[in-house]
Amino acid sequence: MKNLKPFSDTTLAEAASILRAGGLVAFPTETVYGLGGDACHEAAVKKLFTAKGRPSFNPLIAHLADATAVFDFAHNTSSSQLLAEHFWPGPLTMVLAQRSDSPISSLATAGLDSCAFRVPADRNAVALLAAVGRPVVAPSANPSGQVSPTTAAHVADGLGDKVDLILDGGPCQIGLESTVIDARGEIPHILRPGAITADMLAAVLQIDPRRIQSAETGEAVNAPGMLASHYAPRNLLRLDAPQPRQGEAYLGFGPLPPYEGPSLTLSASCDLQEAAANLFAMLRSLDNQTRAGIAVAPISDNGIGAAINDRLRRAAAPRDNP
Ligand code: TXA
Ligand code: MG
C-alpha cells in the first residue's frame, strides 16, 4: 500500500506537514493507532468523522506533546494537576473544562464545553505532536464500531485510502485504548477503563478507590462514545467459556485445552499485560474462521483485566446489524 510508510525523520516531517495542511495521518501510540487531524481545523475534523463513519455526537480526544500545553486549552483542578504530573505522558485521557478562548473545533468536541486531552508516551507519537505544534485529535484508527488497530496493517485494512498517510511504528505496546476519566471535579469518574486503573488513580489522590465511580457501577456518568456494542468483530462472541464447543474458534487465557479447531491464547502464562497487548490482533485473526463464532476464556478482572473484560463485553453485545 503506497500510503503506508515506516517512521523516519523524513516521513515524520511529511506527516507533520500533511496534518498542518488539514490532512489525515494515522500514527502509533502506546495504546492503539490513532487517526490524526488538526483539532483546530474544522474541515480536517469533518473529514476525520467521515473517514471513520463516526457519529457526530461522539467527541474526540485532543493529543498534545506535553502536559503543560494542555492547560493552555483547559482549566485545571487540583486533582487533574496531580494526575497530569503522575500519569502524563501515558495512557490516561482527562475530560476537562475548556477555556473560553480554546481554538479547538466544536465539531471535535461534539459541541460540548468539555474536551478530552491526552499526552501519549510513545516516542514516535510525541515527536510527531511536537513537530505539528498544535493539538491533534486522534480517535482509534478504525471504522466506527470495529476493533481498534494495534498495527499499521490493521489501519490499512480498515481505512486504506481514506487516510493520506499511515505511519508504521510497529505493534502498540499496551494494545487497549487509554483510560478516560472525567477530571472536572475533585474526584474523577472513570468513563472508560484502561491501563491506568481506579486503584492507581486513588493512590495518587490518596482517596478510597471506591469513590472513583466507574460508568458501569456509577450513576448517569457516561462517555458519549461508550455505545454498548463496540469493538465488534464480525463473528459473535461467547464469553466466560472454559472450553470451546464444536465448531467454535477459541480465544484462551492460560494454556490452551486440546482442540482441533482454530485457537489462540492471549497469554500462556496468564499475564494480563500480555493478554491486553494481544487482544485486538487475536480477535481479528480468529474472526470469520468459523460460522459458530468465537468462544473466549474467563479472564481475571484484576488490574488491566477490568479493561480487557470491558472491551470483550462490548464486543459481545447485541448488534443492530449482526
Ligand atoms: O488510547 C486512546 O485513547 C486512543 C489513542 C489514539 O489515543 N484514542 C481513542 O479515541 O481511543 P476514541 O475516539 O476511539 O475514544 C475516545 C473516547 C470516546 O469514548 C469518547 O466518547 C470519549 O473518549 N470522549 C471524548 N471526548 C469526551 C468528552 N468531552 N466527554 C466525555 N467523553 C469524551
Ligand atoms: Mg475508538
Side-chain angles (χ1 to χ4, degrees), residues 29 31-35 52 54 58-61 63 93 95 109 112 114-116 118 138-140 176-178 180 191-192 222-226:
T29 80
T31 57
V32 298
Y33 274 72
L35 177 59
K52 271 189 65 96
R54 182 174 176 113
N58 190 2
L60 306 175
I61 300 171
H63 296 67
T93 294
V95 172
T109 58
L112 301 170
S114 62
C115 182
R118 178 157 109 82
S140 51
L176 289 183
E177 305 83 353
S178 62
V180 180
L191 303 177
R192 179 176 72 184
N222 229 325
M226 294 309 276

Side-chain angles (χ1 to χ4, degrees), residues 18 26 35 45 92 133 185 198 200 220 237 243 269-270 278 287 299:
I18 291 173
L35 177 59
V45 177
L92 179 71
M200 292 161 76
L237 255 58
Q243 305 281 335
S269 62
C270 292
N278 283 330
D287 200 14
I299 294 163

Side-chain angles (χ1 to χ4, degrees), residues 213-261:
Q213 246 165 14
S214 86
E216 267 136 344
T217 54
E219 288 141 26
V221 267
N222 229 325
M226 294 309 276
L227 310 171
S229 163
H230 211 76
Y231 312 104
R234 261 159 281 174
N235 264 167
L236 292 178
L237 255 58
R238 183 170 70 84
L239 303 184
D240 291 317
Q243 305 281 335
R245 292 181 189 144
Q246 193 61 38
E248 285 178 328
Y250 190 60
L251 185 58
F253 181 61
L256 285 171
Y259 184 54
E260 70 290 351

Side-chain angles (χ1 to χ4, degrees), residues 68-115:
T68 47
V70 169
F71 298 108
D72 293 341
F73 299 93
H75 295 287
N76 62 1
T77 57
S78 54
S79 60
S80 63
Q81 188 65 46
L82 259 177
L83 296 174
E85 282 162 21
H86 276 83
F87 296 113
W88 277 347
L92 179 71
T93 294
M94 289 200 259
V95 172
L96 298 168
Q98 283 190 89
R99 294 189 180 279
S100 56
D101 59 354
S102 165
I104 292 172
S105 152
S106 62
L107 278 180
T109 58
L112 301 170
D113 297 335
S114 62
C115 182

